[in-house]
Amino acid sequence: MSADTVEPLSKVDSAVDSTEPASPSDAKARHRRTSSTVSGVYNINDLEKEGKELSIAPETQRLNWKLNTSPATLDEKDVLKKHLCEPPVKRIDLHFPLGLEVTARNLKGVTIKDALDAIYKQFKKKADDELGENPVLAGFEWDKEESWTRLVVHQKKEGQASSGGGKKSKKNKDEA
């Protein structure tokens, strides 16, 4: 290479001889591993750009799962394997009304178990009396007007049977 030939600049490390790769893995093509990507599983941001709507698995409303107990203690183990939403996504933020936000991730599609595990990780060290007046998961809500990329977590009082409407059961404070 002479001084008067113009070539586009490339990243150069003076400590490495450019004729041989530094290690055998450097000689391979540089691209992301494709084995961890599964067809049919989307990035939530791509779904937002395409305008594809999410539908949440209705089973989450019937779990009666206490936030500080392990998801492994649930009776319905087969429900945990289901995708949290359709179409399946690689990651999704779960937003609590008081501001806490956790992220559930799974490259093969976020399952109900992945979501419960992410929530449990935040609440496992809390005592029952620290969970507030609504310590049980009531379900998730996707509000595309508020945020396309996250689900709102709804909670309810312990042992409360899921009602037909289901989502706005928090307003039952006239029990005194």
Side-chain angles (χ1 to χ4, degrees):
M1 185 164 113
S2 65
D4 44 16
T5 56
V6 179
E7 287 187 27
L9 290 176
S10 63
K11 203 171 188 181
V12 176
D13 184 353
S14 60
V16 177
D17 181 12
S18 62
T19 57
E20 292 181 29
S23 67
S25 65
D26 287 350
K28 296 177 185 165
R30 296 178 186 267
H31 60 83
R32 284 194 161 262
R33 195 178 344 151
T34 56
S35 63
S36 60
T37 58
V38 176
S39 63
V41 179
Y42 298 91
N43 180 327
I44 190 78
N45 297 324
D46 294 343
L47 290 178
E48 182 177 18
K49 287 175 196 158
E50 295 171 21
K52 282 194 178 176
E53 305 233 339
L54 293 179
S55 63
I56 302 169
E59 292 86 354
T60 60
Q61 297 174 21
R62 297 189 297 265
L63 291 175
N64 281 325
W65 173 67
K66 195 180 234 185
L67 303 181
N68 65 350
T69 59
S70 171
T73 61
L74 282 173
D75 297 333
E76 303 176 49
K77 302 270 189 254
D78 53 326
V79 170
L80 295 177
K81 295 175 188 155
K82 292 189 90 171
H83 286 281
L84 179 63
C85 59
E86 289 297 326
V89 293
K90 295 177 185 174
R91 63 176 276 284
I92 193 152
D93 295 327
L94 306 172
H95 179 76
F96 286 83
L98 295 176
L100 174 69
E101 197 158 299
V102 297
T103 303
R105 293 180 181 88
N106 185 337
L107 291 174
K108 295 177 180 161
V110 173
T111 62
I112 293 173
K113 181 181 184 331
D114 297 323
L116 298 185
D117 283 343
I119 294 169
Y120 173 61
K121 191 173 180 183
Q122 289 295 318
F123 290 100
K124 66 182 174 185
K125 292 189 172 127
K126 295 208 184 287
D128 287 355
D129 59 341
E130 291 180 271
L131 290 177
E133 61 185 55
N134 297 322
V136 176
L137 177 73
F140 301 98
E141 176 187 11
W142 180 61
D143 185 0
K144 67 180 177 185
E145 277 78 36
E146 187 181 321
S147 173
W148 196 283
T149 60
R150 71 182 185 194
L151 301 180
V152 177
V153 179
H154 289 284
Q155 297 165 260
K156 61 185 178 182
K157 286 184 171 46
E158 190 170 3
Q160 192 176 32
S162 57
S163 58
K167 299 236 171 170
K168 302 293 180 193
S169 60
K170 291 183 180 182
K171 304 266 192 292
N172 302 345
K173 292 185 179 173
D174 53 355
E175 295 177 1

